[in-house]
Each structure stands twice: as C-alpha cells, then as structure tokens.
Amino acid sequence: MIGTFSYTVLLTYLSALSASAGIVITLTGIGHPYVGIFFLMVSGFCDAFDGRVARRKKDRTDFEKKFGIQIDSLSDLIAFGVLPICIAHATVGVSPAFNGIWGHPFPENITFSSVFFMAIMLWYILAALIRLAYYNVTEEELQSEGGRRTYYVGLPVTAAAVVFPLVMLLQYLLEQDITLVYFIVMLVMGIAFVSNVKVPKISFKVIIALCIIGLAEFITLIVYLN
C-alpha cells in the first residue's frame, strides 16, 4: 500500500476521519448542526499532539518526514478549513433570522445575506488553503536546512479548533442568534491566516492549557445541549 501507516501519522488520520464525520453530520442533518463542533474539537485534540508523537520516532526517513508534512496539512484543510464552513452553513439553516436562505431554488435564493455568507465561506477556505500551502513550502525548506521553527507567519489554521467552539458556546450561554458573529469571526480569521504577522510557536504547556480550555468548552456544550 502507498503512503505511511506507522503510529507517527495515526493521530493525523484520526483527525481527518473525525472532521469528515463532522462534515457529513452537519450537511445531512443526521444530528444537530452544532454537533459538528464536537468533531472539530476532536480534530483539534488530535492535531495538538500529532507532531509531538511523530518527532518521537528518531529514525524517520526523509520520505516519512515529507509525507508527514503533506498529510498533516491536507488533514488540517479538511478539519479546520472545510468543516468550519460546513458548520457555518448549518448554522444559517437553524438561524431564526436567516433560516431558509439556502432552501429557495435559484435564482430566488440570491439575496444579500446569502451572497454575503457565501463570500465569507469561500474567502475562509481559500485563505486556509493558501496558509497551509505556504506552511508546507517553508517547513520543507526549514527541515532541509536543519533549522527549527520558532514562529509561524500568519495565524495557524488549527486556531479554528478553539475559536469556533468558543463562538458557538455563546449561542447557548447568551441564547442569542450568533450566526452573524460566527461569520464575522470567520472573515477575521481568514484575514489572519494570510496576514504577514509572526505568531510565536506555542510551548507544550500552552498546548496543554488550550486542551483544558477545549475540554471545558466540550463539557459546557454537552451540558447545554442536554
């Protein structure tokens, strides 16, 4: 079989599968649209540790390292690029203010709101794609030179695993329609993905702290859904 199937990429594969399940659920209505947020957080947990797990294998070949870079970014595009816009689409579907704008046949469905939301979703996925491609190129160059990354250029797309669950949490805490807020955050994050700002690489302690925050969001959402 082609590819790599060692434990070094197991979490990456799990992240991609979790995100894919979230996409199916949010788009088909198998469960509540916001259930996709849970799959987003699961992907976030997997991504938080996949790189550390991979680096524990000291005898990785150059192929395994390059494959790891590519498969990680492809998984991230699904989990933190595609899944958030599917959640956004489903959020519009259950919004009291915007419910129904996707359901009308063309061209009746062309309204300012539908065009505005669609433009933001397209912008977000394009920005995530560019950000990940840029990361892949720079990471390969860095590894070929034997360097070590200390910062990122642009906001890492994995920030979606913390930001969007927090935004969605407001839906339950405030009991207000936060559809517009979700899309504004998505617009800002897309800009941050491709911005020329240096974001320090976070330490393992910060990763643990973010995981605790994510776990707290996870538990709170379960409580409010019940």
Side-chain angles (χ1 to χ4, degrees), residues 121-194:
M121 290 191 293
L122 294 177
W123 159 248
Y124 178 86
I125 192 65
L126 177 61
L129 178 65
I130 293 172
R131 170 67 179 77
L132 289 167
Y134 180 84
Y135 170 81
N136 281 13
V137 174
T138 56
E139 184 67 15
E140 284 195 0
E141 290 179 347
L142 190 64
Q143 289 194 10
S144 65
E145 297 170 357
R148 186 175 182 180
R149 185 178 295 278
T150 58
Y151 64 88
Y152 299 100
V153 178
L155 180 70
V157 298
T158 51
V162 175
V163 175
F164 289 123
L166 183 60
V167 173
M168 202 58 64
L169 186 60
L170 296 176
Q171 176 71 72
Y172 299 102
L173 295 179
L174 302 178
E175 297 184 355
Q176 300 293 323
D177 186 356
I178 50 81
T179 301
L180 189 58
V181 175
Y182 188 101
F183 277 88
I184 291 175
V185 171
M186 179 171 283
L187 173 64
V188 173
M189 288 192 68
I191 295 172
F193 289 161
V194 296

Side-chain angles (χ1 to χ4, degrees), residues 62-138:
D62 288 339
F63 174 83
E64 287 177 320
K65 292 178 181 178
K66 292 180 179 179
F67 183 86
I69 294 172
Q70 299 298 328
I71 200 67
D72 184 65
S73 286
L74 290 171
S75 173
D76 286 352
L77 183 62
I78 299 172
F80 312 116
V82 178
L83 179 53
I85 67 174
C86 292
I87 295 171
H89 185 280
T91 301
V92 172
V94 298
S95 167
F98 303 103
N99 183 27
I101 67 172
W102 302 133
H104 298 294
F106 185 85
E108 287 81 0
N109 63 341
I110 300 180
T111 63
F112 174 80
S113 296
S114 63
V115 173
F116 177 71
F117 290 152
M118 182 62 69
I120 291 179
M121 290 191 293
L122 294 177
W123 159 248
Y124 178 86
I125 192 65
L126 177 61
L129 178 65
I130 293 172
R131 170 67 179 77
L132 289 167
Y134 180 84
Y135 170 81
N136 281 13
V137 174
T138 56

Side-chain angles (χ1 to χ4, degrees), residues 14-26 30-47 78-80 83-84 87 160-161 165 218 221:
L14 289 176
S15 175
L17 291 175
S18 172
S20 299
I23 290 170
V24 171
I25 287 175
T26 55
I30 295 176
H32 192 283
Y34 299 155
V35 173
I37 285 291
F38 293 114
F39 290 95
L40 177 62
M41 287 191 284
V42 170
S43 294
F45 283 126
C46 292
D47 184 80
I78 299 172
F80 312 116
L83 179 53
I87 295 171
F218 188 90
L221 282 172

